[in-house]
């Protein structure tokens, strides 16, 4: 990772609308190979230069869910952080991520339902400031009341 906010937990009692956290990571060939191994998705558009050159992408691309995983890292490590439970995630993939690309994943608090501990988050990944993935996550945030 190139940069990252402090890891830990922001309890629902301390969350505010507009609060944002991010991380930036360069996607490497090794990341793509490891994701293929773990997910068992060995689509050659991700792994085979010759094959991928003849696709609409004209070259290899990272798995979309590898990019989405960066959002999960921000949610699970920073905002709200440790103890957060994913309830849902909507994603729209807007552009490919290629080996060597530097991706910034951003998560922003949009809505907070304090009694139910539910938080709606805007989720986005960008390369050079241009969106490659947009979405919205629903999570159950940790609370000091249950610690």
């Amino acid at each position: 990772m190139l940069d990252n906010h402090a890891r830990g937990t922001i309890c629902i009692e301390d969350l505010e609308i507009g609060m944002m956290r991010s991380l930036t990571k360069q996607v490497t060939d090794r990341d793509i190979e490891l994701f293929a191994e773990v997910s068992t998705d060995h689509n050659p558009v991700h792994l085979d230069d010759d094959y991928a050159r003849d696709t609409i992408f004209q070259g290899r691309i990272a798995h979309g869910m590898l990019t989405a995983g960066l959002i999960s890292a921000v949610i699970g490590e920073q905002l709200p952080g440790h103890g957060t439970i994913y309830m849902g995630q909507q994603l729209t993939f807007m552009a490919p991520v290629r080996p060597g690309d530097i991706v910034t994943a951003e998560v922003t608090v949009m809505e907070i339902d304090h009694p139910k501990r539910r938080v709606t988050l805007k989720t986005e990944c960008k390369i050079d400031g241009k969106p490659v993935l947009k979405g919205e996550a629903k999570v159950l945030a940790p609370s000091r009341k249950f610690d």
Side-chain angles (χ1 to χ4, degrees):
M1 271 177 241
L2 299 176
D3 65 78
N4 207 344
H5 288 270
R7 294 172 183 251
T9 303
I10 302 173
C11 291
I12 193 158
E13 294 87 355
D14 300 321
L15 289 177
E16 297 176 9
I17 303 295
M19 194 176 270
M20 192 270 284
R21 295 290 185 273
S22 65
L23 71 77
T24 300
K25 181 183 184 347
Q26 184 169 28
V27 175
T28 66
D29 287 325
R30 184 167 187 272
D31 294 329
I32 294 168
E33 291 163 6
L34 288 171
F35 191 87
E37 189 66 29
V38 169
S39 69
T40 71
D41 178 354
H42 298 278
N43 184 331
V45 75
H46 306 303
L47 302 168
D48 183 326
D49 285 316
D50 292 333
Y51 176 91
R53 217 177 345 268
D54 293 332
T55 68
I56 62 170
F57 301 110
Q58 300 178 337
R60 286 190 310 114
I61 60 171
H63 301 75
M65 296 310 291
L66 170 59
T67 304
L70 300 177
I71 292 168
S72 179
V74 176
I75 291 171
E77 292 286 341
Q78 299 179 39
L79 184 65
H82 298 173
T84 301
I85 305 297
Y86 244 115
M87 298 175 66
Q89 174 77 57
Q90 174 274 324
L91 299 169
T92 301
F93 297 95
M94 306 179 73
V97 173
R98 301 181 183 282
D101 281 347
I102 298 172
V103 178
T104 298
E106 298 177 349
V107 173
T108 306
V109 176
M110 293 173 43
E111 297 175 23
I112 304 169
D113 181 342
H114 285 93
K116 293 183 179 180
R117 295 176 39 214
R118 294 186 180 169
V119 181
T120 302
L121 303 164
K122 174 183 174 186
T123 58
E124 193 168 37
C125 290
K126 299 176 182 177
I127 297 172
D128 294 328
K130 296 176 185 165
V132 295
L133 181 158
K134 287 186 177 185
E136 184 176 293
K138 306 265 187 194
V139 301
L140 184 64
S143 170
R144 281 193 294 275
K145 293 178 186 177
F146 299 101
D147 288 346

